[in-house]
Amino acid sequence: METMRQVESPEGLLSIWPSLTPKEQSSLLHLLQGVSDPLYWMQHCTKTKDEQDVLNPYKPFPNRPYFKDLHEAWEKEAVLFIEKSRTLLCTWWGAAECLHLAMRRPATRVLLMAQDEDRSLVPLDYCWTLWEQQDAPFRQIWPLDRPREKQCYNVMELKNESSIMALPGKEPSKIRGFHPTVIFMDETASMDSFGEAFDIAVATRVPKIVCVSSADISEYENLIKTAEPVDWYA
């Protein structure tokens, strides 16, 4: 961290680089890449939690090629619909993207929505796990506003004035008052008020809307059934 405080510009990094040991250079590169690259941070700097693995529950994101595609879609698309299965870790991925953005960019407001309160708290709990499990230097760079036990149960607040809130899908009108930078909706096929929530998010010009769900007959399915394949790499 002392080295990190000295690096206030590219010129500052160049000035101290020759004096660093190979281990210090490697650590600094790891830190800089984790700060600048959300996917690198997910796979090398923090851990998810597998409740079914009693012996080794905390693990990095697996190095699966589709995570690169998901991240590129997150970067390119203002509105993103994703059909998933449980084994794809899409909710973990979405929580990680939201958290990294909130940590990296001050005053970011993230809204996590699902059918009811219990399910909306799941991706928020993922955010807490990812923050707590990240390497110590990142927790120092991106501190909490106050300890978890002193924060509201449905909100995560960071020192940089970013916040992440869990909101039940049955209360879509509250989107207007929260003024979110990002809305992440989980298991939208199960959300009775998904159509209303999505309409409000679009009408209030939320910059990024990400909807993730298992496939099922629903308002969500009606929106995506006419989608056509495109050449992503064209």
Side-chain angles (χ1 to χ4, degrees):
M1 285 298 298
E2 186 61 36
T3 299
M4 195 65 183
R5 281 193 287 269
Q6 295 176 38
V7 181
E8 297 180 352
S9 67
E11 293 76 14
L13 176 59
L14 288 173
S15 68
I16 68 168
W17 189 260
S19 65
L20 300 179
T21 66
K23 184 177 179 180
E24 288 173 331
Q25 291 176 351
S26 178
S27 296
L28 186 55
L29 287 174
H30 172 73
L31 198 60
L32 292 172
Q33 193 164 355
V35 168
S36 62
D37 185 344
L39 191 56
Y40 179 88
W41 174 80
M42 291 178 212
Q43 295 179 330
H44 300 280
C45 309
T46 189
K47 293 182 176 70
T48 65
K49 183 178 181 181
D50 181 358
E51 291 87 353
Q52 295 181 338
D53 189 340
V54 178
L55 297 178
N56 183 33
Y58 295 104
K59 302 166 184 157
F61 275 83
N63 188 19
R64 297 174 184 168
Y66 69 84
F67 281 123
K68 182 175 183 294
D69 293 330
L70 285 174
H71 177 64
E72 289 185 4
W74 169 282
E75 291 288 320
K76 291 179 180 179
E77 303 295 335
V79 179
L80 184 60
F81 294 148
I82 302 170
E83 285 193 325
K84 67 166 185 172
S85 70
R86 184 182 180 280
T87 57
L88 292 177
L89 298 178
C90 284
T91 303
W92 274 105
W93 162 80
E97 292 279 9
C98 290
L99 175 59
H100 194 276
L101 179 65
M103 293 189 300
R104 189 178 75 246
R105 193 171 74 182
T108 293
R109 308 197 78 180
V110 177
L111 195 59
L112 307 172
M113 298 187 71
Q115 168 65 2
D116 52 39
E117 183 171 75
D118 285 347
R119 279 179 276 193
S120 68
L121 288 170
V122 170
L124 180 61
D125 187 58
Y126 290 177
C127 288
W128 279 112
T129 297
L130 291 164
W131 187 90
E132 292 164 353
Q133 290 297 315
Q134 65 184 338
D135 298 342
F138 294 97
R139 296 197 300 272
Q140 293 176 275
I141 295 169
W142 294 319
L144 299 172
D145 180 62
R146 55 197 182 281
R148 181 176 184 176
E149 62 271 15
K150 294 185 178 180
Q151 298 205 26
C152 185
Y153 75 97
N154 67 338
V155 182
M156 179 183 194
E157 294 181 293
L158 301 168
K159 197 75 172 178
N160 67 357
E161 299 186 354
S162 289
S163 61
I164 303 174
M165 174 182 282
L167 179 70
K170 295 178 181 179
E171 303 177 57
S173 61
K174 290 189 176 181
I175 293 172
R176 296 186 180 93
F178 190 67
H179 304 295
T181 311
V182 178
I183 292 183
F184 179 78
M185 301 188 197
D186 193 32
E187 291 297 355
T188 49
S190 301
M191 284 177 59
D192 296 334
S193 302
F194 167 68
E196 182 182 356
F198 182 76
D199 287 347
I200 291 172
V202 171
T204 54
R205 299 183 180 181
V206 176
K208 187 175 293 292
I209 305 169
V210 181
C211 305
V212 173
S213 185
S214 305
D216 200 358
I217 298 173
S218 60
E219 291 179 302
Y220 172 80
E221 183 70 19
N222 290 336
L223 274 175
I224 66 174
K225 67 182 179 181
T226 58
E228 297 180 1
V230 298
D231 185 352
W232 181 252
Y233 298 101

